[in-house]
Amino acid sequence: MTELSTLILDRIRDVPDYPKPGVMFKDITPLLGDHVAMAAVVDELAGLHQVDKIVGIEARGFILAAPVAYRAGAGFVPVRKKGKLPAETLEESYDLEYGSATIEVHRDAFTPGDRVLVVDDVLATGGTARAAVDLVKRAGAEVVGIAVLMELAFLKGRERLTGVDLHSLVIV
């Protein structure tokens, strides 16, 4: 295990039965509150690719993506739940365990050919990440990769992201 992996894993708190019985929630707030750990995560993610834009997926993805964009010298683009962005949008729907969801991005968020890194806190089933990749591509930009703080391997989200460079700082 790398020093960064240890730094991250030591600052992720397991919360049993949240948000519902049987779920072990991985709480990243202790990591966010630790300047050394947060800086190490931001520095690592910012150094992965030369990009024009960093996409953050609502909501915890924003917390990581905005400082990564700053560090990388790139613009930050929020991908939000349907109905949360004020200007004209493109949208992408995807299936959830029970039902579906839709995410959006401003239609003018990218210049054609922009190189984009998608950042999120956790990769679970891969549905949201796949939808974000498809949305960015439809908007005319090039997705150079997806970067996540933590990948929940048992949910097999990686399988939905074939053909995309995926970088997980820790895999649990």
Side-chain angles (χ1 to χ4, degrees), residues 95-118:
D95 291 329
L96 298 168
E97 188 176 352
Y98 300 104
S100 63
T102 302
I103 55 175
E104 296 180 321
V105 69
H106 278 135
R107 186 173 288 279
D108 62 356
F110 306 103
T111 302
D114 273 350
R115 293 174 47 82
V116 176
L117 177 66
V118 176

Side-chain angles (χ1 to χ4, degrees), residues 9-141:
L9 291 171
D10 286 351
R11 287 155 184 82
I12 293 176
R13 174 175 37 216
D14 286 342
V15 181
D17 299 320
Y18 183 83
K20 61 183 184 178
V23 173
M24 180 64 72
F25 185 78
K26 301 292 188 181
D27 179 15
I28 67 168
T29 58
L31 180 140
L32 299 175
D34 182 315
H35 174 263
V36 172
M38 182 66 169
V41 166
V42 168
D43 289 346
E44 180 70 17
L45 295 175
L48 292 175
H49 294 280
Q50 288 290 115
V51 296
D52 303 298
K53 304 277 173 65
I54 302 284
V55 161
I57 300 174
E58 187 171 345
R60 290 182 310 235
F62 293 173
I63 296 168
L64 295 175
V68 168
Y70 173 78
R71 173 75 73 214
F76 168 73
V77 176
V79 167
R80 302 217 51 197
K81 294 173 185 167
K82 185 177 174 97
K84 300 288 185 179
L85 291 171
E88 189 177 349
T89 62
L90 295 172
E91 65 180 48
E92 188 75 28
S93 295
Y94 59 100
D95 291 329
L96 298 168
E97 188 176 352
Y98 300 104
S100 63
T102 302
I103 55 175
E104 296 180 321
V105 69
H106 278 135
R107 186 173 288 279
D108 62 356
F110 306 103
T111 302
D114 273 350
R115 293 174 47 82
V116 176
L117 177 66
V118 176
V119 172
D120 206 359
D121 64 327
V122 175
L123 176 65
T125 64
T128 308
R130 176 84 256 168
V133 166
D134 294 345
L135 190 58
V136 170
K137 287 180 178 179
R138 281 188 35 233

Side-chain angles (χ1 to χ4, degrees), residues 130 157-164:
R130 176 84 256 168
R158 182 175 287 269
E159 294 175 4
R160 295 179 80 170
L161 299 171
T162 55
V164 180

